[in-house]
Amino acid sequence: MSDEEEGSEGVLLSGEENATVRIKLEREKRGWSTTTLSDHMNEAGFDMNPSAVWRIENRKRRINLDEAIGFAEVFGVPLSNFVGPPSLATMGRAMELIDNVVATYRASNRANHEARRARDQLDAYLADHPDIREEADVMVSNAIATELIKVNEEYGPASDA
């Protein structure tokens, strides 16, 4: 690891490095020994001995994907959080909120894509049927306005913050 990476406990670390730091943080947070953690891993169906836990935590042994999944499962954290920056690992709620923002953003992008595709399909159809375009455009505008009113009633008006 370079001096720059060593001095920054965060996004510069790789997923595997993050996981090794996280294992020790999570184990110590619970007051578990390496033996206790290996027992939990074995109970969850992931073959692990205390020596392997110690070697992983001290970067003497690499962690494989199955083991990372097992540790995340034993600690009750999503794998994406488990391999995230250690500086955020101590703030579990922050990680949950970050995951929620990312998931909501992803859903919003998918919805926007679907809305564009639906509008493109309607526009293509109306290009072939120009005699109904004005009436169709009014119907779409009215329906969208009605939906916006419903959303504003449920969530309040959008903020520009």
Side-chain angles (χ1 to χ4, degrees):
M1 218 180 336
S2 73
D3 289 340
E4 184 179 326
E5 288 174 345
E6 217 170 277
S8 68
E9 188 177 297
V11 294
L12 294 180
L13 295 177
S14 71
E16 186 174 4
E17 286 289 311
N18 291 344
T20 62
V21 171
R22 186 71 183 266
I23 291 166
K24 190 169 186 174
L25 283 171
E26 293 293 335
R27 181 180 62 74
E28 289 177 345
K29 181 168 76 173
R30 290 166 175 75
W32 292 352
S33 66
T34 55
T35 300
T36 303
L37 177 52
S38 71
D39 289 345
H40 285 290
M41 288 288 286
N42 290 320
E43 289 168 12
F46 300 92
D47 188 34
M48 180 71 51
N49 63 49
S51 173
V53 172
W54 183 90
R55 289 192 326 266
I56 290 169
E57 286 183 356
N58 291 281
R59 296 175 182 86
K60 305 290 184 196
R61 174 185 178 285
R62 296 192 70 176
I63 183 173
N64 68 43
L65 180 58
D66 289 338
E67 292 166 342
I69 291 168
F71 283 116
E73 184 178 308
V74 165
F75 294 135
V77 297
L79 184 61
S80 61
N81 288 359
F82 182 70
V83 298
S87 59
L88 294 179
T90 58
M91 296 178 255
R93 181 68 177 140
M95 294 301 289
E96 290 172 14
L97 293 170
I98 289 167
D99 279 349
N100 188 41
V101 167
V102 171
T104 304
Y105 180 78
R106 186 179 300 123
S108 174
N109 278 336
R110 285 183 186 139
N112 285 335
H113 176 75
E114 289 297 317
R116 277 192 306 275
R117 186 168 21 165
R119 185 63 212 211
D120 289 347
Q121 288 172 344
L122 176 61
D123 286 343
Y125 182 82
L126 293 176
D128 293 337
H129 302 86
D131 53 313
I132 62 169
R133 179 172 205 80
E134 186 176 330
E135 187 177 2
D137 284 339
V138 169
M139 288 179 67
V140 168
S141 294
N142 287 342
I144 289 173
T146 300
E147 288 302 312
L148 284 174
I149 290 169
K150 289 177 186 176
V151 167
N152 285 338
E153 286 172 353
E154 187 173 346
Y155 300 107
S159 67
D160 292 333

